[in-house]
Amino acid sequence: MKISFLLHNAYGIGGTITTTFNLAQALAERHEVEIVSVLRHRERPTFVLDPRVALRSLVDLRQDKEHPSHLRPARVFPRSEYRYGQYSELTDQRIAEALATTDAEVVIGTRPGLNVHLAREAPRHVARVGQEHLTLNNHSPRLRTALRRAYRGLDVLTTVTEADATAYRHRMRLPGVRVEALPNSVPDPVLPAADGSAKVIVAAGRLVPVKRYDLLIEAFATVAADHPDWQLRIYGKGDEHDRLRRLIADLKLWNNVFLMGPAAPMEAEWVKGSIGAATSDFEPFGMTIVEAMRCGLPVVSTDCPHGPAEIIADGVDGRLVPVGDRDALAAALLELVRDDGLRRRMSRAALENARRFAPAPVVEQAERLLTEAVSARRAGRPVVRERAGVTLAARGFAARDSALAAASGALRVVRKGRS
């Protein structure tokens, strides 16, 4: 089977890129796989890609940035999608051409706007699989309204958590579309797992407000007050860097908290720690949580929607604390810092429980979904039948989203008139 992934920008840094590369590389062991990157801004990808996976781009910003068509707005890519400003008439044209000429049996879109292209423009013989790496609640009413129409052209829609899959099934009414949770996978570690002896807490991700590294640093101040021999290492880059550095200075934690910059891959850094930390207000999945656990680190995480609670068994392989609760976070960290035996027991449990996110079980599920989609497309039938009892509830959500979208549009018109 030939499988093609349609990706926003394979040359950047982010969770969707990581998970796409991971899945593509695992599938390449038995299938012909390519990644089509809509945008490109540098010579080589940041992450190493298995040579068995072909990579090509559609719009190279090093040459096409001032292309006349790239200066005109996109018409297919939905305006309400977060990345809309990076898309254009040129990306519309290049994506349409790529889909029209593809020899893949199945194409996988990796974000809402690309899923819209796929649903509307893929040839009839191509199986269409849309991936959602955020959550339904994270999308605006305008975007949900657009997706409710477009996604009916998909064969399969995957989410990264069961909670989000349930939301799509009950709120979107996508007759004939198979909606299934497909978690992200993490490659099998190549280094020995952490042994729990290092006095280091590790966190990783973009330095952006939603990740709440300020909360983590403030909570760690309580840890450092009682255990000054422990460190907190935060890996990543982003707009919050300078503010976090000032916070570290204000709390006089220069010798305990370190902004390490980005690291790819992270495995060599995880195994240097004994505890992982994730403090987001919102986390569609929690890729870094799985990465840490696969390296033998119990993870202390906020119990934010939707991912952490589907990954961590509270009190078994990590701890879940209320979102934004600095004191609860500090207490959970201290619990693991103070108890070597507990930390090591949770470490062993983390290794065992995180195996379900290894490539093998995830790829097996992905292959089954892709095979069913291809078979259904060839037979000219939907992958699933619409389930009774869903229609009425879904119509109610659709009406509410339409009303909210209309109100939002009217408000924009009023504000524009005033300006």
Side-chain angles (χ1 to χ4, degrees):
M1 180 164 50
K2 180 165 183 181
I3 303 163
S4 179
F5 288 85
L6 187 59
L7 186 62
H8 169 65
N9 188 339
Y11 298 82
I13 294 177
T16 300
I17 301 168
T18 302
T19 57
T20 299
F21 277 32
N22 288 347
L23 182 56
Q25 289 166 168
L27 288 168
E29 292 186 7
R30 290 190 292 274
H31 304 279
E32 183 182 353
V33 182
E34 69 167 357
I35 294 175
V36 179
S37 179
V38 176
L39 301 178
R40 177 179 186 174
H41 67 287
R42 55 185 295 173
E43 183 63 25
R44 294 182 179 84
T46 301
F47 301 119
V48 177
L49 183 64
D50 190 309
R52 293 175 297 179
V53 178
L55 174 62
R56 61 189 176 97
S57 61
L58 303 180
V59 175
D60 191 331
L61 297 175
R62 296 171 299 174
Q63 288 87 42
D64 295 329
K65 189 175 183 179
E66 301 301 322
H67 190 292
S69 294
H70 194 53
L71 301 178
R72 293 191 284 269
R75 294 182 179 273
V76 179
F77 196 92
R79 183 178 294 273
S80 48
E81 221 265 39
Y82 170 69
R83 295 285 187 183
Y84 177 76
Q86 294 177 257
Y87 284 74
S88 65
E89 184 180 284
L90 181 62
T91 59
D92 278 357
Q93 293 170 353
R94 299 274 173 88
I95 294 170
E97 290 168 3
L99 290 172
T101 58
T102 186
D103 59 349
E105 293 166 87
V106 56
V107 178
I108 302 172
T110 56
R111 65 175 307 111
L114 298 181
N115 295 340
V116 169
H117 273 279
L118 177 60
R120 291 180 176 175
E121 299 175 335
R124 291 178 61 86
H125 68 276
V126 173
R128 309 159 185 193
V129 177
Q131 291 182 340
E132 278 283 357
H133 291 274
L134 292 175
T135 68
L136 184 60
N137 285 339
N138 189 247
H139 297 327
S140 69
R142 287 184 69 208
L143 182 56
R144 289 196 296 264
T145 298
L147 299 184
R148 193 171 274 111
R149 293 190 295 265
Y151 275 11
R152 295 181 183 187
L154 298 174
D155 297 297
V156 174
L157 178 67
T158 67
T159 63
V160 290
T161 64
E162 183 56 44
D164 202 39
T166 299
Y168 271 93
R169 294 184 195 114
H170 285 85
R171 296 173 58 184
M172 292 294 277
R173 193 184 175 222
L174 302 174
V177 181
R178 176 75 170 269
V179 180
E180 188 165 322
L182 179 69
N184 295 328
S185 70
V186 171
D188 296 322
V190 297
L191 299 174
D195 61 10
S197 63
K199 296 180 178 182
V200 177
I201 299 170
V202 181
R206 293 175 298 123
L207 306 185
V208 293
V210 71
K211 299 295 185 181
R212 291 307 309 272
Y213 290 121
D214 57 335
L215 184 78
L216 176 57
I217 293 168
E218 290 170 355
F220 182 78
T222 301
V223 176
D226 285 349
H227 298 271
D229 51 343
W230 275 74
Q231 292 183 358
L232 169 62
R233 300 176 185 174
I234 301 173
Y235 291 84
K237 65 179 181 179
D239 296 340
E240 289 276 279
H241 180 275
D242 292 345
R243 190 174 79 87
L244 296 175
R245 186 171 59 182
R246 288 193 298 271
L247 178 61
I248 292 167
D250 291 343
L251 295 174
K252 298 179 172 57
L253 293 172
W254 314 282
N255 295 323
N256 299 91
V257 180
F258 302 94
L259 302 180
M260 306 293 291
M266 265 294 295
E267 182 183 344
E269 311 309 322
W270 289 122
V271 298
K272 295 174 185 175
S274 291
I275 302 169
T279 49
S280 298
D281 288 338
F282 165 78
E283 196 67 72
F285 179 63
M287 192 71 173
T288 60
I289 297 174
V290 177
E291 289 178 353
M293 292 174 66
R294 295 222 70 200
C295 290
L297 274 65
V299 178
V300 176
S301 172
T302 48
D303 189 10
C304 62
H306 284 294
E310 293 193 18
I311 301 170
I312 296 170
D314 187 30
V316 177
D317 50 26
R319 291 299 315 276
L320 293 169
V321 301
V323 174
D325 192 330
R326 180 185 59 194
D327 293 339
L329 177 61
L333 291 171
L334 276 170
E335 180 184 22
L336 290 175
V337 165
R338 289 170 175 165
D339 192 333
D340 293 348
L342 175 64
R343 194 167 65 246
R344 290 190 172 96
R345 286 195 300 275
M346 283 193 175
S347 173
R348 292 190 293 270
L351 277 172
E352 178 63 28
N353 294 346
R355 286 178 181 168
R356 69 190 190 276
F357 300 107
V362 175
V363 170
E364 181 180 350
Q365 182 186 359
E367 284 182 317
R368 174 178 54 79
L369 283 171
L370 298 181
T371 300
E372 291 177 4
V374 169
S375 297
R377 178 60 61 170
R378 286 174 177 169
R381 58 173 173 78
V383 182
V384 294
R385 297 183 182 276
E386 186 174 12
R387 294 173 297 118
V390 172
T391 302
L392 186 61
R395 284 176 177 168
F397 283 111
R400 188 176 69 178
D401 281 343
S402 295
L404 290 171
S408 176
L411 183 60
R412 283 195 302 274
V413 170
V414 170
R415 286 175 175 169
K416 186 175 180 180
R418 288 177 178 174
S419 62

